[in-house]
Amino acid sequence: MYNKVYVEITNICNMSCSFCHGHKRAARRMSSMEFSLILDKLNGLTEYIYYHLMGEPLTHPLLPDFLRLAKERGYKSIITTNGTLLNKRGDEILKAGVHKVNISLHSFEQGAEAEQRDYVLSLARFAEKAADTGVIVVFRLWNEGFDGGKNENSVAVLKEHLGGEWLENSRGVKIKNKIFLEWGQRFEWPDSNAEIKGNKFFCYGLKDQFGILADGTVVPCCLDSDGVINLGNAFTDDIKDILNSQKAKAIVEGFKCGKATEDLCKRCGYAQRFV
């Protein structure tokens, strides 16, 4: 069993954030039939579906249908979002059975102060509503050193509106029941044109997780934004066969020995964090 599988239901986003690598692929959304097929093929491989790799999940018009379908088949759905559409679509996803919502507060780090305050306040209100229905909400500030002082403003708004315990733990802060805040360093996305990062690497790709892009391409991890490491296609091939392919096995065995078998992995700063 994999801890999670990233299913990119759309590679379309409504924002252009400074920290995001972006992608060069054609804009695409998964159809209901395609998503249903993916769920069938993931049976027995994972319990948790994450609805992104690139793209903003809340831009997909069929997202509530996907959430209901996944819940009916025993999966737990985790959405990572920039939060800008939660005012419009928050109630939809709560009713549809989302398990957890990660909100990247740093998506708005370039906004004006008043605009940012309104944004964070609306997300705090959503978090309260979600927590009341048993849904976990995690605010993310994965931008240490790049926030321009705005992280303090965001935290102040959350404290003002949510109150709570604010108990520190190994990953961040438990604000109150079902509501958390995570801190993290801004990371460098892998890029085929970047420099090789070192001579020793480790990654949880294909060990704890893998990704499926909007066109069905299977990739080792959630950072392969352009599908450079194409392992096969989940729409046409058996996912278990893809994961047991010679190429996939070589990647896993390489990381066990501190080696990167794929060129993109050698250019990934994130693969240096666990060495």
Side-chain angles (χ1 to χ4, degrees):
M1 289 280 282
Y2 290 83
N3 288 343
K4 53 196 170 188
V5 177
Y6 293 87
V7 180
E8 183 190 71
I9 61 172
T10 179
N11 60 19
I12 300 167
C13 191
N14 63 331
M15 293 186 71
S16 182
C17 300
S18 61
F19 64 84
C20 182
H21 182 273
H23 65 88
K24 300 171 185 175
R25 294 174 283 134
R28 196 182 193 283
R29 293 188 177 109
M30 276 192 189
S31 69
S32 181
M33 185 178 298
E34 289 169 338
F35 183 73
S36 180
L37 178 64
I38 292 297
L39 293 182
D40 287 342
K41 292 188 175 186
L42 287 176
N43 184 38
L45 290 175
T46 190
E47 184 181 359
Y48 295 94
I49 306 288
Y50 281 63
Y51 285 63
H52 78 288
L53 201 140
M54 288 283 103
E56 167 56 54
L58 272 76
T59 65
H60 201 306
L62 298 179
L63 176 58
D65 296 335
F66 289 1
L67 293 171
R68 282 188 285 268
L69 191 60
K71 187 175 183 180
E72 288 169 5
R73 301 193 190 181
Y75 295 101
K76 293 181 180 178
S77 296
I78 293 89
I79 291 175
T80 297
T81 174
N82 57 44
T84 56
L85 297 176
L86 283 172
N87 264 343
K88 294 181 179 179
R89 308 204 68 190
D91 289 344
E92 281 184 274
I93 65 171
L94 294 181
K95 290 177 183 176
V98 67
H99 173 70
K100 179 181 177 183
V101 180
N102 298 318
I103 305 174
S104 299
L105 290 178
H106 46 285
S107 298
F108 222 69
E109 63 189 11
Q110 295 175 315
E113 187 173 332
E115 206 176 10
Q116 184 206 21
R117 177 180 173 80
D118 290 342
Y119 162 75
V120 177
L121 183 57
S122 71
L123 298 179
R125 289 169 178 156
F126 168 80
E128 281 192 319
K129 186 184 295 186
D132 287 344
T133 65
V135 174
I136 301 166
V137 175
V138 179
F139 295 108
R140 288 178 170 178
L141 287 169
W142 290 3
N143 62 341
E144 289 181 0
F146 291 86
D147 66 292
K150 290 189 175 181
N151 283 355
E152 292 183 5
N153 296 339
S154 295
V155 171
V157 175
L158 293 178
K159 284 185 174 180
E160 177 185 333
H161 185 79
L162 293 175
E165 306 162 72
W166 288 82
L167 298 176
E168 292 190 14
N169 55 50
S170 59
R171 298 199 63 180
V173 175
K174 178 184 178 184
I175 298 176
K176 59 200 305 186
N177 186 43
K178 301 288 183 181
I179 305 177
F180 302 85
L181 171 66
E182 288 182 358
W183 302 92
Q185 293 181 339
R186 186 167 175 171
F187 60 85
E188 186 179 350
W189 289 74
D191 189 288
S192 298
N193 297 317
E195 294 180 355
I196 292 177
K197 302 302 180 183
N199 53 21
K200 195 168 184 180
F201 304 87
F202 181 79
C203 179
Y204 289 99
L206 293 176
K207 183 177 184 294
D208 292 341
Q209 55 149 300
F210 62 93
I212 302 173
L213 301 181
D215 65 356
T217 299
V218 177
V219 293
C221 77
C222 61
L223 296 182
D224 188 354
S225 60
D226 275 312
V228 174
I229 309 174
N230 185 340
L231 299 175
N233 193 285
F235 294 155
T236 57
D237 305 321
D238 187 288
I239 294 178
K240 292 178 183 177
D241 289 343
I242 294 172
L243 298 173
N244 284 311
S245 67
Q246 186 175 354
K247 185 175 182 178
K249 286 183 176 180
I251 293 171
V252 174
E253 291 303 314
F255 283 134
K256 285 181 181 179
C257 302
K259 297 179 181 179
T261 60
E262 295 293 323
D263 187 68
L264 185 69
C265 300
K266 297 174 183 177
R267 303 172 192 278
C268 178
Y270 207 78
Q272 297 287 300
R273 290 192 174 193
F274 308 106
V275 173

